[in-house]
Amino acid sequence: MTHTNSSCHRRRKAISSFSASAWLVALASTVLVSAFGPAIAATYLLGPLDVLKIRVFEWRPSAGVAYEWVPLTGEFTVSASGTLSLPIVGAIPVAGKTPEEVSEIIGEQLQAQIGLQKRPNASIEISSYRPFFVTGAVGAPGKFNFLPGLTVTQALSMAGGTGSVDPRVMEIQREALVNQGDMRGFEAERVGLLARQARVDAMLAKHSKISFPRELTDRSSQAAVMQVMRNEQALLDSRLRSMDSDLSALEQSKVLAKNQIEGLKQKEASLTKQIDLANKDLSSVNKLVSQGLTVSSRQLGANQNLADLESRNLDVSLALLTTQQDLTKLDQDALAVVEKFQAAALMEAADLRDKLTANEEKMKTSHALMLNIEMRSPAALSALSAEGRPRTITKISRNINGATETFVVKDDDPVQPGDVIRVEPQLNALTQNGGASQ
């Protein structure tokens, strides 16, 4: 018995004595396999390059003390072959096992090796997860420390984000982006010019509705194009209302002038009758005066009455002439209003022709530049999305059940330790083949 005890003392070192409650706490620590929560501990499978912090204890109830197996206490790294080499116990295959399973294996192996009656307790914490790797079209490819809950987006941000790292390709893509922006600007300008031209044509043709060209009507489902068409129709309506308002005011003035002319003509006719009567009266008075039957004062009054009537008739004639001239001027003003709007439309039409010609030349130049870029580096151009952002695809290579599988992932898919994340330019249309990570 003494020999057995001395042999055990050579292999074990008593480090401390715990109370019963303290030892229960130590036993509870055997289930602590991760510092990041029970979800990771329950699902995480060990693999090469994982660093484990191990503590092994044996409880001796007869002495009421706990012995720590010092050679088995410390940090140990899982080898590339997936094994964990421990003193006394030897090599243990741990790849694909949970930390809890490994703690049980260590206790069982130690019990079997030493011949202990009771299995020692081993506590395992993951001191450092095995790294993951990022390569391809990222700012800073390399090896990175894994963190629980890591997503693809977070992993790529750690690697500097996606995008081409070739300066020559980046310069070509920058040139393509600038040219694409110019082309979009020229296209928007052309839409506006065509809509304005349609409005001017409607104005010249004296139409109240714009007949837009097919190039615009075929794109009427696009909000921007529809808004431009609506704006031009609203502008035409406003200008037509302005012209109609001016013409309506002139028309009212013409009605008043015509009524005034009619009144003056009636007054002129009345005065003409009165003048005829005055002339007859004057003739009678002149005859009576010549016969000495009346006094000359009556002759004077008849002459004055006739003169007054003729003066009033002259005033009416002048007023009638002036009103007729005003009426003629109102007709000329109405014609001038129409001609003013027509002249403005003609000037705008000439300006639009020049602008459309310049726009077409600019678009031809931009198309030629894009063709030149495509000939110089078709891969750089095809790697840009319709919005001008680099078009990439992200894949993960992962060891699953001993075999490496590669699949496409999405931004929110989780990353696992040991994953190799590869960002590649998406040169052609890609069929997604299972973006969710397994």
Side-chain angles (χ1 to χ4, degrees):
M1 184 66 179
T2 303
H3 174 73
T4 302
N5 287 338
S6 62
S7 175
C8 290
H9 274 292
R10 283 193 301 268
R11 291 184 175 90
R12 294 174 293 178
K13 177 183 179 183
I15 60 170
S16 62
S17 175
F18 299 97
S19 65
S21 59
W23 178 239
L24 289 176
V25 173
L27 290 177
S29 68
T30 60
V31 299
L32 180 61
V33 295
S34 171
F36 298 98
I40 297 297
T43 59
Y44 185 71
L45 301 180
L46 298 175
L49 301 183
D50 279 332
V51 179
L52 307 180
K53 184 177 181 180
I54 302 175
R55 298 182 70 187
V56 180
F57 292 92
E58 179 188 355
W59 175 251
R60 298 189 63 189
S62 59
V65 294
Y67 290 92
E68 180 181 10
W69 289 80
V70 176
L72 295 175
T73 297
E75 292 187 347
F76 299 88
T77 302
V78 180
S79 68
S81 61
T83 60
L84 188 65
S85 297
L86 299 175
I88 304 173
V89 176
I92 302 174
V94 298
K97 294 181 173 60
T98 66
E100 185 176 10
E101 291 173 340
V102 174
S103 67
E104 293 179 355
I105 293 174
I106 292 175
E108 293 172 354
Q109 292 279 11
L110 186 59
Q111 182 182 22
Q113 290 280 356
I114 306 301
L116 301 175
Q117 294 183 353
K118 186 176 181 181
R119 178 170 63 87
N121 295 286
S123 69
I124 297 179
E125 297 179 11
I126 300 175
S127 177
S128 176
Y129 290 91
R130 60 187 181 274
F132 66 93
F133 303 85
V134 183
T135 184
V138 293
K143 179 178 71 173
F144 301 91
N145 294 328
F146 174 79
L147 296 173
L150 193 69
T151 65
V152 171
T153 298
Q154 294 168 336
L156 294 181
S157 68
M158 294 169 67
T162 59
S164 174
V165 295
D166 188 337
R168 293 172 298 176
V169 174
M170 291 179 66
E171 178 60 26
I172 293 174
Q173 289 182 345
R174 187 197 66 81
E175 184 180 346
L177 288 175
V178 172
N179 200 56
Q180 286 176 348
D182 291 341
M183 290 181 64
R184 285 192 292 269
F186 296 148
E187 179 62 25
E189 181 185 37
R190 177 174 175 80
V191 168
L193 291 174
L194 289 175
R196 288 176 59 192
Q197 187 179 52
R199 171 180 54 78
V200 170
D201 292 342
M203 192 74 186
L204 292 173
K206 299 180 180 179
H207 293 162
S208 60
K209 293 295 181 183
I210 302 177
S211 178
F212 292 102
R214 187 171 180 179
E215 184 176 344
L216 297 184
T217 56
D218 288 347
R219 299 169 57 187
S220 59
S221 59
Q222 300 178 14
V225 176
M226 176 56 71
Q227 188 61 44
V228 170
M229 295 167 65
R230 288 175 178 171
N231 290 344
E232 292 301 326
Q233 181 63 56
L235 181 57
L236 176 63
D237 293 341
S238 176
R239 293 191 176 181
L240 289 177
R241 283 194 301 270
S242 178
M243 185 176 68
D244 290 343
S245 177
D246 292 345
L247 292 175
S248 177
L250 292 172
E251 188 62 32
Q252 291 178 1
S253 297
K254 287 172 64 178
V255 171
L256 292 175
K258 289 178 179 179
N259 291 337
Q260 187 175 1
I261 289 173
E262 187 64 27
L264 290 171
K265 285 182 177 181
Q266 292 176 1
K267 190 173 183 179
E268 184 181 42
S270 176
L271 288 172
T272 300
K273 291 179 181 181
Q274 293 180 37
I275 289 172
D276 290 340
L277 292 174
N279 280 323
K280 290 179 181 180
D281 182 61
L282 180 60
S283 296
S284 299
V285 171
N286 288 337
K287 185 181 289 187
L288 291 174
V289 170
S290 64
Q291 294 175 357
L293 298 176
T294 185
V295 296
S296 60
S297 59
R298 184 178 177 187
Q299 184 183 25
L300 179 60
N303 281 321
Q304 290 177 342
N305 181 51
L306 178 60
D308 181 61
L309 289 173
E310 288 177 343
S311 177
R312 289 168 60 189
N313 187 53
L314 180 60
D315 291 340
V316 170
S317 297
L318 291 174
L320 182 61
L321 180 61
T322 301
T323 306
Q324 288 175 336
Q325 290 175 342
D326 291 341
L327 183 61
T328 302
K329 186 177 185 304
L330 288 173
D331 289 332
Q332 293 175 347
D333 289 345
L335 181 61
V337 168
V338 176
E339 289 179 347
K340 181 185 72 173
F341 282 93
Q342 293 289 309
L346 288 171
M347 291 181 61
E348 190 173 5
D351 181 61
L352 284 172
R353 283 194 298 270
D354 294 339
K355 289 183 176 180
L356 276 170
T357 301
N359 177 267
E360 290 175 0
E361 292 301 321
K362 292 176 181 177
M363 292 189 69
K364 288 179 182 178
T365 302
S366 292
H367 281 297
L369 289 173
M370 287 300 297
L371 180 61
N372 178 268
I373 294 173
E374 186 174 2
M375 294 175 64
R376 285 161 51 197
S377 181
L381 186 59
S382 61
L384 294 177
S385 67
E387 295 77 18
R389 295 191 297 269
R391 185 190 292 114
T392 59
I393 180 173
T394 305
K395 299 179 180 179
I396 280 184
S397 295
R398 179 176 298 161
N399 188 295
I400 300 176
N401 298 326
T404 300
E405 296 186 14
T406 301
F407 45 88
V408 177
V409 291
K410 296 178 291 188
D411 291 344
D412 295 332
D413 287 341
V415 175
Q416 294 184 10
D419 282 350
V420 177
I421 305 174
R422 184 179 296 103
V423 179
E424 302 174 351
Q426 185 178 353
L427 302 182
N428 300 308
L430 176 69
T431 302
Q432 300 290 337
N433 55 356
S437 65
Q438 302 177 14

